[in-house]
Amino acid sequence: MVKLNKIDTMLLRMVKNSKSQFLAVLIIIIVGICIYTAMSMTAINMQNTVSTYYEENNFADLFIETAAIPNQAADRLERIPGVKKVTGRVSEDVPFISENLNERVNLRIVTVKGEEDELCKSTLLKGRPINENGKEALLVHKFAEARGIKIGDIIKVQIHGLQYDLEVVGIVDNPEYIYLMENAQTMLPDQANFGVCYVSEKFGQQAMELTGSYNEILISYESGADEDQIIEDVEDELDIYGIKQTVKQEEQLSNNMIQEELKQLGSMAGSLPILFLMVAGLILIMMLSRMVKKDRIKIGVLKAIGYSSRQVLMHYVKYALCAGILGGFFGSILGMGLAGAMTQNYLQYFNIPLLRIEFYYSYVLMAMVLSSVICAVSGMIGARGVLKITPADAMRADAPKSGKRILLEKLPFIWKRLSFSNKMVGRNIFRNKKRTLFVLTGVILTYGMMLFTTSMPAVIDQMMNKHFLEFQKMDYNISFQTPVYKSVIRDLNHIIDIDYMEGKIEYPFELANGNKKQSVSIIGLSKNTQFYSFIDTDEKPVTIPERGILLSQNLANILRVEKGDMVQVKSYLPNQDDVYLQVKGVIKQALGMNAYMEINNMGEQLLDKNIVTGVYVNSSDKNVNEKLIPASNIATVLSTAEMRAVYDEYMTLMVVYVGFMVVFSGILGFCIVYNATIVSLGEREMEFSSLRVLGFSKSEIFRMILKENNMIMIVGILLGIPIGNLMLKYSSAAFTTNLYSIDMSPTLSAGIFACIFTIGFILLAQLATYRKINRLDFLQALKNRES
């Protein structure tokens, strides 16, 4: 049995006597460390797994979408310095024919060779590889799972107007589709309505009328290769055939999404825990400062019997260290468990068959060191008053501070009308400035975090509504396999019932401003389009210019251009010269990143006159998808209503996220107000004892404390509104990516809910102190007034 020395025994008594305050600090530390450990471990688990997955499956460094190029031309690319491996393939989006003919399901057909060193090869989960000569298919497992497709099932696809029956012989995952998203506008994976199907090269080239040719090239680099030089050499080599789009690995849609998610996860892992630990440190400073004042005689006795100032100081620092070590240990253990749950939750979005949940015990040590250091520093600051106390001075009571008139006393018109208890409330708020400021800061932080949390669902909902109801207003977005003349689109009137229709051109180009480059789709629209509503960064309406180009805000930021600047439009089409266009405006776009031109001007300058690559349609026809299935030149049909329905499904997960964040934010406010109130009770025992002698009941004293905290709470919420808005403004910039722009302007309902939650948790903290007031021995406080 370990025998404790006297001063350590006193430490245990000190923890026991302040167990409720100690527990409140411990909870804050546990929550902070839990967030740090969970998010850090989840991020490192995901990052390590993705890196391993990419390496084992030969994830490509460069993706090139081309016109038809001969197989031999693709093979010659391996001669370019720095190129390690080249894989050619054929890829095309085609309709998947389901039993419900009015259901539009898009399936991306991709050819594979079955070579061991093939780039972006799939991981076979079930079944066997495809036969080179058969009509067999490998399906991405999320799509197969969503549609209940099993090995041995026959699926029907329509390629260039002809239907094919394919036997599913295997279920796979692929590093190119970790995040199974059709395009940048869909944002969320719709696993039942979009999938990927791998077929043999021989069958795919024949069915897609590209025998002996590829329309996509994948390239991997040698170690230390110059990427820009490789891209330039590849483009020169393929220029005669025509390149539609060049995408670097970091810009690849799925990889971009997961890397942005991991980046934000790492950012939150570094910021949120520090906030909780700093709050815990401030509470410890306040608590220990009060303990030192209360223990003046005890400190004097300890020094008189031989303990040095350093030993006595360490006695109080140990109190803080206990909280840091225990909080770090339990927080990291809980964090490891939460990390497993978070990683499993990510599997709903990301398809990673190799995902391993590993527990990095070094994070337990790091968490304990982090919390211990912050708590130890806080302990030294809070208990530094020990150094000033001498044994002789400790025998005398601490001299009271000289009284001063508070601000309200200088306003007699108000002061004279206040009751006795309200005057005491006012004096305590203004005289105990440190405590008031501490509680005020706690309320501001709580409200700010609550505002951020309650704003998220409304912000995401508003983003989707703005994009699909205000920015884009079509019912259907129909794309063709090959461009057609404008006059041809009238034939659609004979196939489906159309209320209104406009042709479009959508084609990828590279936009450049000096050394700033970005590959994007330029969309050509009618000058008076009814399907798009553009507004600039000043919220002013913008129309399609007859000449020039409009850029989405995130694209303009990447290129570092403003209205009036010139941008270079580089065409990948054979024998097509680069064009310089003036930026006529910068517009807001929530989802995706595009540039926009007047359709006739775009055709003349960048492609051919009088062509379209698709149409936008408004139609009340309930059987649009069924009627378009036989149309051979229809590539994809995107329904705005269906995309909105997918978003609504994912809102349930958003509600769970909001619930967690409300609890975390509430814990912060609860612990701050609770500890501050308990400390205030200890400091004002004599004052409250005197009030009891004067006839005040315990309930009346509690109401006085309630008034003080409520006044601070009201001011804190009012100050929290602008500070919360600043937090949201910062978050808007932090969470905005190339794929989506978030405008985190809080709604009125978000502000109201944040206010309700903040008030609720703070009132709960004050109710928790009522039992403490009832248990106070006011008469004993009067007897021991010298202490």
PDB file of all heavy atoms in Angstrom, residues 571-590:
ATOM      1  N   SER A 571      -8.138  25.531 -76.229  1.00  0.00           N
ATOM      2  CA  SER A 571      -8.953  24.439 -76.744  1.00  0.00           C
ATOM      3  C   SER A 571      -8.090  23.203 -76.954  1.00  0.00           C
ATOM      4  O   SER A 571      -6.950  23.286 -77.406  1.00  0.00           O
ATOM      5  CB  SER A 571      -9.611  24.839 -78.065  1.00  0.00           C
ATOM      6  OG  SER A 571     -10.318  23.747 -78.608  1.00  0.00           O
ATOM      7  N   TYR A 572      -8.652  22.037 -76.630  1.00  0.00           N
ATOM      8  CA  TYR A 572      -7.959  20.775 -76.861  1.00  0.00           C
ATOM      9  C   TYR A 572      -8.317  20.176 -78.220  1.00  0.00           C
ATOM     10  O   TYR A 572      -7.814  19.119 -78.587  1.00  0.00           O
ATOM     11  CB  TYR A 572      -8.328  19.771 -75.761  1.00  0.00           C
ATOM     12  CG  TYR A 572      -7.857  20.174 -74.389  1.00  0.00           C
ATOM     13  CD1 TYR A 572      -8.755  20.379 -73.345  1.00  0.00           C
ATOM     14  CD2 TYR A 572      -6.509  20.347 -74.120  1.00  0.00           C
ATOM     15  CE1 TYR A 572      -8.324  20.731 -72.079  1.00  0.00           C
ATOM     16  CE2 TYR A 572      -6.062  20.704 -72.858  1.00  0.00           C
ATOM     17  CZ  TYR A 572      -6.973  20.891 -71.838  1.00  0.00           C
ATOM     18  OH  TYR A 572      -6.536  21.250 -70.588  1.00  0.00           O
ATOM     19  N   LEU A 573      -9.202  20.859 -78.955  1.00  0.00           N
ATOM     20  CA  LEU A 573      -9.618  20.327 -80.252  1.00  0.00           C
ATOM     21  C   LEU A 573      -8.508  20.512 -81.283  1.00  0.00           C
ATOM     22  O   LEU A 573      -7.756  21.494 -81.239  1.00  0.00           O
ATOM     23  CB  LEU A 573     -10.892  21.043 -80.716  1.00  0.00           C
ATOM     24  CG  LEU A 573     -12.125  20.850 -79.827  1.00  0.00           C
ATOM     25  CD1 LEU A 573     -13.262  21.724 -80.302  1.00  0.00           C
ATOM     26  CD2 LEU A 573     -12.554  19.388 -79.813  1.00  0.00           C
ATOM     27  N   PRO A 574      -8.376  19.597 -82.227  1.00  0.00           N
ATOM     28  CA  PRO A 574      -7.326  19.714 -83.244  1.00  0.00           C
ATOM     29  C   PRO A 574      -7.479  20.991 -84.069  1.00  0.00           C
ATOM     30  O   PRO A 574      -8.595  21.397 -84.417  1.00  0.00           O
ATOM     31  CB  PRO A 574      -7.536  18.471 -84.118  1.00  0.00           C
ATOM     32  CG  PRO A 574      -8.341  17.528 -83.277  1.00  0.00           C
ATOM     33  CD  PRO A 574      -9.176  18.385 -82.386  1.00  0.00           C
ATOM     34  N   ASN A 575      -6.354  21.629 -84.351  1.00  0.00           N
ATOM     35  CA  ASN A 575      -6.297  22.814 -85.222  1.00  0.00           C
ATOM     36  C   ASN A 575      -7.161  23.974 -84.724  1.00  0.00           C
ATOM     37  O   ASN A 575      -7.652  24.777 -85.514  1.00  0.00           O
ATOM     38  CB  ASN A 575      -6.717  22.443 -86.658  1.00  0.00           C
ATOM     39  CG  ASN A 575      -5.894  21.286 -87.216  1.00  0.00           C
ATOM     40  OD1 ASN A 575      -4.672  21.254 -87.056  1.00  0.00           O
ATOM     41  ND2 ASN A 575      -6.566  20.332 -87.855  1.00  0.00           N
ATOM     42  N   GLN A 576      -7.372  24.032 -83.430  1.00  0.00           N
ATOM     43  CA  GLN A 576      -8.171  25.120 -82.854  1.00  0.00           C
ATOM     44  C   GLN A 576      -7.246  26.049 -82.076  1.00  0.00           C
ATOM     45  O   GLN A 576      -6.528  25.624 -81.177  1.00  0.00           O
ATOM     46  CB  GLN A 576      -9.243  24.556 -81.916  1.00  0.00           C
ATOM     47  CG  GLN A 576     -10.249  25.592 -81.425  1.00  0.00           C
ATOM     48  CD  GLN A 576     -11.297  25.918 -82.465  1.00  0.00           C
ATOM     49  OE1 GLN A 576     -11.680  25.069 -83.247  1.00  0.00           O
ATOM     50  NE2 GLN A 576     -11.743  27.155 -82.497  1.00  0.00           N
ATOM     51  N   ASP A 577      -7.221  27.321 -82.466  1.00  0.00           N
ATOM     52  CA  ASP A 577      -6.334  28.282 -81.811  1.00  0.00           C
ATOM     53  C   ASP A 577      -6.881  28.694 -80.452  1.00  0.00           C
ATOM     54  O   ASP A 577      -8.091  28.636 -80.200  1.00  0.00           O
ATOM     55  CB  ASP A 577      -6.173  29.529 -82.691  1.00  0.00           C
ATOM     56  CG  ASP A 577      -5.467  29.227 -84.009  1.00  0.00           C
ATOM     57  OD1 ASP A 577      -4.650  28.283 -84.013  1.00  0.00           O
ATOM     58  OD2 ASP A 577      -5.749  29.915 -85.011  1.00  0.00           O
ATOM     59  N   ASP A 578      -5.963  29.135 -79.585  1.00  0.00           N
ATOM     60  CA  ASP A 578      -6.379  29.671 -78.282  1.00  0.00           C
ATOM     61  C   ASP A 578      -7.100  30.994 -78.485  1.00  0.00           C
ATOM     62  O   ASP A 578      -6.822  31.753 -79.424  1.00  0.00           O
ATOM     63  CB  ASP A 578      -5.163  29.874 -77.387  1.00  0.00           C
ATOM     64  CG  ASP A 578      -4.474  28.564 -77.057  1.00  0.00           C
ATOM     65  OD1 ASP A 578      -5.077  27.511 -77.299  1.00  0.00           O
ATOM     66  OD2 ASP A 578      -3.336  28.600 -76.563  1.00  0.00           O
ATOM     67  N   VAL A 579      -8.034  31.278 -77.579  1.00  0.00           N
ATOM     68  CA  VAL A 579      -8.844  32.507 -77.678  1.00  0.00           C
ATOM     69  C   VAL A 579      -8.725  33.276 -76.374  1.00  0.00           C
ATOM     70  O   VAL A 579      -8.701  32.679 -75.290  1.00  0.00           O
ATOM     71  CB  VAL A 579     -10.325  32.151 -77.957  1.00  0.00           C
ATOM     72  CG1 VAL A 579     -11.187  33.408 -77.962  1.00  0.00           C
ATOM     73  CG2 VAL A 579     -10.460  31.397 -79.264  1.00  0.00           C
ATOM     74  N   TYR A 580      -8.650  34.608 -76.473  1.00  0.00           N
ATOM     75  CA  TYR A 580      -8.630  35.463 -75.290  1.00  0.00           C
ATOM     76  C   TYR A 580      -9.991  36.144 -75.168  1.00  0.00           C
ATOM     77  O   TYR A 580     -10.486  36.773 -76.122  1.00  0.00           O
ATOM     78  CB  TYR A 580      -7.523  36.512 -75.389  1.00  0.00           C
ATOM     79  CG  TYR A 580      -6.144  35.927 -75.176  1.00  0.00           C
ATOM     80  CD1 TYR A 580      -5.436  35.361 -76.240  1.00  0.00           C
ATOM     81  CD2 TYR A 580      -5.558  35.911 -73.909  1.00  0.00           C
ATOM     82  CE1 TYR A 580      -4.174  34.811 -76.049  1.00  0.00           C
ATOM     83  CE2 TYR A 580      -4.300  35.362 -73.715  1.00  0.00           C
ATOM     84  CZ  TYR A 580      -3.616  34.814 -74.774  1.00  0.00           C
ATOM     85  OH  TYR A 580      -2.374  34.259 -74.577  1.00  0.00           O
ATOM     86  N   LEU A 581     -10.596  35.993 -73.987  1.00  0.00           N
ATOM     87  CA  LEU A 581     -11.922  36.558 -73.739  1.00  0.00           C
ATOM     88  C   LEU A 581     -11.891  37.469 -72.526  1.00  0.00           C
ATOM     89  O   LEU A 581     -11.152  37.226 -71.573  1.00  0.00           O
ATOM     90  CB  LEU A 581     -12.941  35.443 -73.509  1.00  0.00           C
ATOM     91  CG  LEU A 581     -13.160  34.446 -74.661  1.00  0.00           C
ATOM     92  CD1 LEU A 581     -14.091  33.324 -74.195  1.00  0.00           C
ATOM     93  CD2 LEU A 581     -13.751  35.150 -75.877  1.00  0.00           C
ATOM     94  N   GLN A 582     -12.720  38.487 -72.566  1.00  0.00           N
ATOM     95  CA  GLN A 582     -12.811  39.408 -71.430  1.00  0.00           C
ATOM     96  C   GLN A 582     -13.824  38.893 -70.415  1.00  0.00           C
ATOM     97  O   GLN A 582     -14.900  38.423 -70.775  1.00  0.00           O
ATOM     98  CB  GLN A 582     -13.225  40.801 -71.899  1.00  0.00           C
ATOM     99  CG  GLN A 582     -13.180  41.849 -70.778  1.00  0.00           C
ATOM    100  CD  GLN A 582     -13.553  43.238 -71.273  1.00  0.00           C
ATOM    101  OE1 GLN A 582     -14.401  43.387 -72.153  1.00  0.00           O
ATOM    102  NE2 GLN A 582     -12.918  44.260 -70.719  1.00  0.00           N
ATOM    103  N   VAL A 583     -13.441  38.990 -69.147  1.00  0.00           N
ATOM    104  CA  VAL A 583     -14.344  38.592 -68.064  1.00  0.00           C
ATOM    105  C   VAL A 583     -15.384  39.697 -67.897  1.00  0.00           C
ATOM    106  O   VAL A 583     -15.061  40.815 -67.478  1.00  0.00           O
ATOM    107  CB  VAL A 583     -13.572  38.369 -66.754  1.00  0.00           C
ATOM    108  CG1 VAL A 583     -14.543  38.002 -65.630  1.00  0.00           C
ATOM    109  CG2 VAL A 583     -12.519  37.289 -66.919  1.00  0.00           C
ATOM    110  N   LYS A 584     -16.617  39.370 -68.219  1.00  0.00           N
ATOM    111  CA  LYS A 584     -17.698  40.361 -68.142  1.00  0.00           C
ATOM    112  C   LYS A 584     -18.390  40.375 -66.773  1.00  0.00           C
ATOM    113  O   LYS A 584     -19.177  41.270 -66.486  1.00  0.00           O
ATOM    114  CB  LYS A 584     -18.742  40.075 -69.223  1.00  0.00           C
ATOM    115  CG  LYS A 584     -18.243  40.284 -70.643  1.00  0.00           C
ATOM    116  CD  LYS A 584     -17.975  41.754 -70.936  1.00  0.00           C
ATOM    117  CE  LYS A 584     -17.637  41.980 -72.392  1.00  0.00           C
ATOM    118  NZ  LYS A 584     -17.433  43.419 -72.702  1.00  0.00           N
ATOM    119  N   GLY A 585     -18.071  39.400 -65.958  1.00  0.00           N
ATOM    120  CA  GLY A 585     -18.683  39.363 -64.632  1.00  0.00           C
ATOM    121  C   GLY A 585     -18.229  38.152 -63.849  1.00  0.00           C
ATOM    122  O   GLY A 585     -17.824  37.131 -64.417  1.00  0.00           O
ATOM    123  N   VAL A 586     -18.283  38.260 -62.505  1.00  0.00           N
ATOM    124  CA  VAL A 586     -17.985  37.160 -61.599  1.00  0.00           C
ATOM    125  C   VAL A 586     -19.256  36.858 -60.825  1.00  0.00           C
ATOM    126  O   VAL A 586     -19.816  37.747 -60.169  1.00  0.00           O
ATOM    127  CB  VAL A 586     -16.833  37.503 -60.639  1.00  0.00           C
ATOM    128  CG1 VAL A 586     -16.609  36.372 -59.651  1.00  0.00           C
ATOM    129  CG2 VAL A 586     -15.556  37.795 -61.420  1.00  0.00           C
ATOM    130  N   ILE A 587     -19.734  35.635 -60.932  1.00  0.00           N
ATOM    131  CA  ILE A 587     -21.043  35.278 -60.370  1.00  0.00           C
ATOM    132  C   ILE A 587     -20.913  34.285 -59.221  1.00  0.00           C
ATOM    133  O   ILE A 587     -19.909  33.593 -59.096  1.00  0.00           O
ATOM    134  CB  ILE A 587     -21.951  34.674 -61.463  1.00  0.00           C
ATOM    135  CG1 ILE A 587     -21.309  33.395 -62.029  1.00  0.00           C
ATOM    136  CG2 ILE A 587     -22.236  35.683 -62.556  1.00  0.00           C
ATOM    137  CD1 ILE A 587     -22.251  32.530 -62.816  1.00  0.00           C
ATOM    138  N   LYS A 588     -21.939  34.249 -58.399  1.00  0.00           N
ATOM    139  CA  LYS A 588     -22.008  33.274 -57.312  1.00  0.00           C
ATOM    140  C   LYS A 588     -22.565  31.956 -57.834  1.00  0.00           C
ATOM    141  O   LYS A 588     -23.548  31.938 -58.569  1.00  0.00           O
ATOM    142  CB  LYS A 588     -22.897  33.794 -56.178  1.00  0.00           C
ATOM    143  CG  LYS A 588     -22.271  34.921 -55.370  1.00  0.00           C
ATOM    144  CD  LYS A 588     -23.135  35.245 -54.172  1.00  0.00           C
ATOM    145  CE  LYS A 588     -22.452  36.232 -53.238  1.00  0.00           C
ATOM    146  NZ  LYS A 588     -23.255  36.480 -52.021  1.00  0.00           N
ATOM    147  N   GLN A 589     -21.905  30.852 -57.431  1.00  0.00           N
ATOM    148  CA  GLN A 589     -22.371  29.512 -57.800  1.00  0.00           C
ATOM    149  C   GLN A 589     -22.083  28.586 -56.646  1.00  0.00           C
ATOM    150  O   GLN A 589     -20.927  28.389 -56.279  1.00  0.00           O
ATOM    151  CB  GLN A 589     -21.684  29.031 -59.079  1.00  0.00           C
ATOM    152  CG  GLN A 589     -22.120  27.651 -59.524  1.00  0.00           C
ATOM    153  CD  GLN A 589     -21.547  27.240 -60.872  1.00  0.00           C
ATOM    154  OE1 GLN A 589     -21.158  28.079 -61.669  1.00  0.00           O
ATOM    155  NE2 GLN A 589     -21.493  25.946 -61.127  1.00  0.00           N
ATOM    156  N   ALA A 590     -23.137  28.011 -56.065  1.00  0.00           N
ATOM    157  CA  ALA A 590     -22.975  27.202 -54.853  1.00  0.00           C
ATOM    158  C   ALA A 590     -22.282  25.880 -55.137  1.00  0.00           C
ATOM    159  O   ALA A 590     -21.387  25.457 -54.407  1.00  0.00           O
ATOM    160  CB  ALA A 590     -24.335  26.959 -54.204  1.00  0.00           C
TER     161      ALA A 590
END
